[in-house]
Amino acid sequence: MKKYLQVLKITFQQELAYRVNFIMWRVRNVMQIFLIFFLWDSVYSDHTRQLFGYDRTKILTYVFGILVIKAIVFSSRSIELSRIISDGTLSLYLLKPINFFKYWFSADVASKLLNMGFSIFETIFLFLILKPDIFFQSNPVYLLLFIVSLIIAVLLFFVLIFLINIFSFWAPETGWALPFLFVVIIGDFLSGSVFPLDIFSKSAQNIFYSLPFPYLVFFPLQVYLGKLAISTVLNGIVISLGWLIVLWFLVKVFWEKGLKKFCSEGI
Amino acid sequence: MKKNLKKYFNVWWISSKNSFMSVLNNRLGSSFFLVGKLLRFFIYLFFINILVKGTNTLAGYNLDQTIFFYLTFNLIDIVSQFLFRGVYKFRSKIIDGSFDLVLSKPIDSLFVSLFDSADLLDLITIPPLIIFLFIVGSKLNPGILTVILFIFLVFNSLIISAAFYIIVLSLGIVTLEVDHTVMIYRDLSNLGKFPIDIYKEPLKGFLTFIIPIGTMMTVPAKSLMNLVSPWGVLLSFLLGGIFLLISISFWKYALTKYSSASS
């Protein structure tokens, strides 16, 4: 446990060593929220409007929720894994007396803590300048389920990003193209980070809910907003846990297969 | 002059050809990028469709108009990314000192830094986008003069975009930071994905005059809808010119700060 705490500390120091980079990254997150906020603010300029099952307060809470949840779920160092496999530096990690998965998870946790801290500060800042109507969930059951769904989202993203990066064992030349496709496109849109998925038809939503992606952002936010019945929330938690187990199993299988293929090129 | 232009075109052609070959050499990775870009484009288009059908208008614009804004944004964004791809490779040149080699060559260092390695993936998406733009634009019933003005304003937007990229390059020399600065510019320009009218003052004024994203992304589309006054058009061209001059001055200043460290 001690050595993973050291990994956490080192990652903190690494992130803070390149302060300008880190601050710029956070500025980018705020800019992205500006677009989504003003878009919905314009759509709900009539304060009494109800659209796609949201009123103005809930949709603006959704937008602010994206900022915080993305910082917690999507902040990750393990996205570097594809580069490490492609350029051969994976050998250096394999030689160390550490568990590779725990190492990267510790690094991810450090990144998440740092980003979460900044995102809370940014949310307060944006709240003060934009003065949006915000919905505060007061039901302790929903709050508890929200925290559970958020923890599952963090673990789900970790295994998803691992699985995507492992592909580099077989196609190292793709570099970060596949992680790009996953994080920027599938992760962003299908997770509900750009717009809530319930603007789609019921049948499309059923398809989305059977995939792992909505459980990264959309589902935790739905739980926080209290838009789902408790039984539906529990059902969602079971599905996301199911995905977590399946994906973790796939990571283990492909990792073992990938290691057999790995020949440390580039070192 | 003609000889000089030919020399610059040849340099651009050779660098672009090399870049194209590099893309074709990594077909799988390039396919992922292309699929990603196309998916992003169509998902947003789908979203706009659902959103405006649900609300009837967005900031007073109907569905065809909103889509036209989105397509114009994409055209300017993709063409500028295709042309000014060199910016994305600039940081490594500054960090490892290879920018010295650029400076010692008998060719303008700004030209090389800006236009190096045009992107094939962007190039192949431009023709279908123009066709799409033509189809949606024709639904707005513009006159021939309006179309010509639209084309000129798109060129003006590319000049503003070039100015932004030059500022990013200059900041790269002064601060050694390019990657995030260029992405911040991309995020800023993304604010022009929808008509600038969705933003409130003072942000709207800021995006129109101080950081002319509105002038760059929204004015050309608005001109095709006859929603810009002649003064507005004149001001857009003026802003484009001023912004370019400021960026070139900044570039000249940044060059005096280049220390050639690590070379």
Side-chain angles (χ1 to χ4, degrees), chain A residues 252-264:
Chain A
K252 284 285 200 185
V253 169
F254 284 107
W255 176 252
E256 291 299 325
K257 283 185 187 292
L259 279 182
K260 283 177 188 157
K261 180 109 176 94
F262 181 62
C263 42
S264 196

Side-chain angles (χ1 to χ4, degrees), chain A residues 18 20-22 24-25 27-29 31-32 34-36 38-43 49 51-52 56 167 171 173-178 180-181 184-186 189-190 194-196 199-201, chain B residues 25-26 28-30 32-37 39-40 43-44 46-47 50-51 54-59 91 177 179-181 183-184 186-188 190-194 197-200 203:
Chain A
Y18 300 98
V20 178
N21 258 13
F22 185 79
M24 292 283 208
W25 157 247
V27 169
R28 290 197 57 207
N29 279 281
M31 304 275 298
Q32 287 161 8
F34 264 122
L35 172 70
I36 308 171
F38 281 106
L39 175 66
W40 287 113
D41 183 60
S42 171
V43 169
R49 176 174 259 172
L51 200 64
F52 311 119
R56 184 182 163 84
F167 187 71
E173 74 280 5
T174 57
W176 70 287
L178 196 57
F180 162 82
L181 182 63
V184 178
I185 311 300
I186 298 171
F189 287 105
L190 293 184
V194 179
F195 43 79
I199 67 167
F200 293 99
S201 65
Chain B
N25 197 32
N26 180 12
L28 187 62
S30 303
F32 285 143
F33 275 118
L34 189 61
V35 168
K37 281 166 188 270
L39 267 176
R40 184 163 51 188
I43 292 174
Y44 253 111
F46 185 60
F47 169 57
I50 289 183
L51 185 70
T55 57
N56 292 324
T57 59
L58 179 68
R91 185 174 184 261
E177 163 57 47
D179 299 356
H180 279 90
T181 321
M183 292 318 287
I184 286 181
R186 297 289 312 281
D187 290 334
L188 262 175
N190 269 331
L191 294 175
K193 203 172 262 175
F194 298 102
D197 308 67
I198 66 168
Y199 304 104
K200 284 180 179 162
L203 184 65

